[in-house]
């Protein structure tokens, strides 16, 4: 189970929009978009993915798993916890992949999707096929992460590493240090390195996934025992979990509505038993 930290904009009565970031970015990717959507009457929710910001695992022995269906089930649990049956889902990079998995496996949970960079759902068998050298060069960091040297290097200097990725992935983006540092704080999450390394090793067939997520990723529909459920309390009453984190307030952004007065909770406890 996770405590998922998130920012919220707009009226609670509005159509829910869930925006998902990628690697190596965070919820601040949407500091400009979220207020614009909120101004149009949408309820905008921007969670920090597992391994980012204040999102954290509740169980110390839980596998720090970055496979695609694990992140997708986090989104299902997140919307379950907020009692949102259908949402507009948008994302880029890891977020686009997650949107694609949710749309493919749980289509009834999607009112619409916006997947920047296209349909990125990973096919493990096809992903083992080599690409032309000029294309492979763009994914050098995946090979780096496949080694223990790469994992150690990322752990020692994720700040510098990810800043390099920002510059090489978006060479025309003239961001300043303050913009980068705002997101880089999310990479200090204690689970960040483990989840990133597992994600890229899993993509290359070098690390196993968990069977419960592999079943979900194989196309089993949500419902019954396949959907993540909220933790049950007392006599089994299905309740909104106690919120435990403080809200994320993106600096300089207007329109953000904290969940409670004076900086109260803005996280949901998502997950539960899976069979």
């Amino acid at each position: 189970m996770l405590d998922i930290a998130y920012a919220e904009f707009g009226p609670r009565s509005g159509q829910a929009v869930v925006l998902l970031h990628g690697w190596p970015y965070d919820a601040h990717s949407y500091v400009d978009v979220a207020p614009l959507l909120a101004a149009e009457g949408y309820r905008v929710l921007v969670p920090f993915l597992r391994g980012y910001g204040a999102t954290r695992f509740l169980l110390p022995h839980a596998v720090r798993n970055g496979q695609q269906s694990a992140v997708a089930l986090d989104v299902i649990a997140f919307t379950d916890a907020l009692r949102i049956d259908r949402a507009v889902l948008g994302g880029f990079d890891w977020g686009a992949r997650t949107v694609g998995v949710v749309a493919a496996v749980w289509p009834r949970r999607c009112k619409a999707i916006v997947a920047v960079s296209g349909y990125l759902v990973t096919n493990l068998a096809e992903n083992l096929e080599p690409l032309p050298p000029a294309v492979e060069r763009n994914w050098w960091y995946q090979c780096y992460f496949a080694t223990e040297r790469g994992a150690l290097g990322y752990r020692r200097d994720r700040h510098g590493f990810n800043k390099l990725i920002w510059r090489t992935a978006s060479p025309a983006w003239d961001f300043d240090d303050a913009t980068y540092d705002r997101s880089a704080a999310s990479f200090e999450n204690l689970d960040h390195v483990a989840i990133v390394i597992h994600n890229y090793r899993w993509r290359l067939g070098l690390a196993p996934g968990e069977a419960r997520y592999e079943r979900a990723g194989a196309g089993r529909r949500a419902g019954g025992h396949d959907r993540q459920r909220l933790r049950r309390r007392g006599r089994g009453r299905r309740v909104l979990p106690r919120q435990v984190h403080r809200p994320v307030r993106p600096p300089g952004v207007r329109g953000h509505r904290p969940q409670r007065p004076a900086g109260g909770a803005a996280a949901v406890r998502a997950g539960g038993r899976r069979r």
Side-chain angles (χ1 to χ4, degrees):
M1 289 189 295
L2 293 173
D3 273 340
I4 299 178
Y6 66 100
E8 181 170 359
F9 303 78
R12 289 187 177 177
S13 59
Q15 167 64 54
V17 176
V18 179
L19 301 177
L20 305 172
H21 65 83
W23 173 86
Y25 306 92
D26 78 332
H28 289 94
S29 300
Y30 296 104
V31 293
D32 296 319
V33 172
L36 295 176
L37 291 172
E40 295 295 324
Y42 291 97
R43 180 189 185 187
V44 185
L45 303 157
V46 191
F48 287 78
L49 299 185
R50 54 171 58 196
Y52 293 82
T55 292
R56 65 185 182 89
F57 285 85
L58 295 174
L59 301 177
H61 61 273
V63 177
R64 273 42 179 178
N65 186 334
Q67 72 189 95
Q68 61 186 4
S69 50
V71 184
L73 274 165
D74 290 345
V75 175
I76 295 296
F78 175 69
T79 52
D80 276 353
L82 293 174
R83 297 175 179 167
I84 296 170
D85 292 328
R86 298 182 75 211
V88 177
L89 300 179
F92 67 94
D93 194 68
W94 287 26
R97 181 183 65 179
T98 304
V99 166
V101 174
V102 174
V105 184
W106 299 279
R108 286 181 289 183
R109 303 302 297 270
C110 304
K111 183 174 178 62
I113 67 169
V114 180
V116 179
S117 298
Y119 190 72
L120 301 178
V121 176
T122 300
N123 181 309
L124 288 181
E126 291 185 4
N127 210 46
L128 296 180
E129 290 295 320
L131 298 170
V135 179
E136 289 283 7
R137 182 178 63 176
N138 295 328
W139 311 122
W140 64 270
Y141 55 86
Q142 297 190 24
C143 297
Y144 184 65
F145 287 158
T147 68
E148 290 307 306
R149 184 169 181 261
L152 179 60
Y154 190 59
R155 185 174 298 280
R156 284 182 176 176
D157 189 18
R158 72 200 80 165
H159 186 281
F161 192 101
N162 290 341
K163 194 170 189 176
L164 173 65
I165 297 296
W166 276 39
R167 295 199 183 282
T168 56
S170 304
W173 182 21
D174 187 23
F175 62 87
D176 57 20
D177 288 342
T179 298
Y180 176 73
D181 291 342
R182 182 177 61 187
S183 288
S186 290
F187 313 147
E188 297 305 313
N189 183 298
L190 295 178
D191 302 312
H192 177 79
V193 173
I195 287 171
V196 170
I197 296 300
H198 181 265
N199 168 79
Y200 286 109
R201 290 182 179 181
W202 174 83
R203 282 172 54 89
L204 295 175
L206 301 175
E210 291 181 84
R212 57 183 176 175
Y213 295 127
E214 290 169 355
R215 288 195 298 270
R220 293 182 66 180
R221 299 300 182 194
H225 300 307
D226 288 332
R227 280 177 58 177
Q228 285 199 4
R229 294 179 293 177
L230 304 180
R231 172 179 288 182
R232 295 182 182 273
R233 297 205 196 115
R235 297 180 179 177
R237 182 169 55 93
R238 191 173 187 271
V239 298
L240 185 66
R242 182 171 61 87
Q243 299 179 339
V244 294
H245 287 317
R246 295 188 179 277
V248 178
R249 187 182 182 97
V253 174
R254 297 180 180 178
H256 174 251
R257 173 172 49 73
Q259 295 295 301
R260 293 182 186 274
V268 293
R269 181 163 295 176
R273 294 181 300 163
R274 297 185 196 87
R275 297 181 184 177

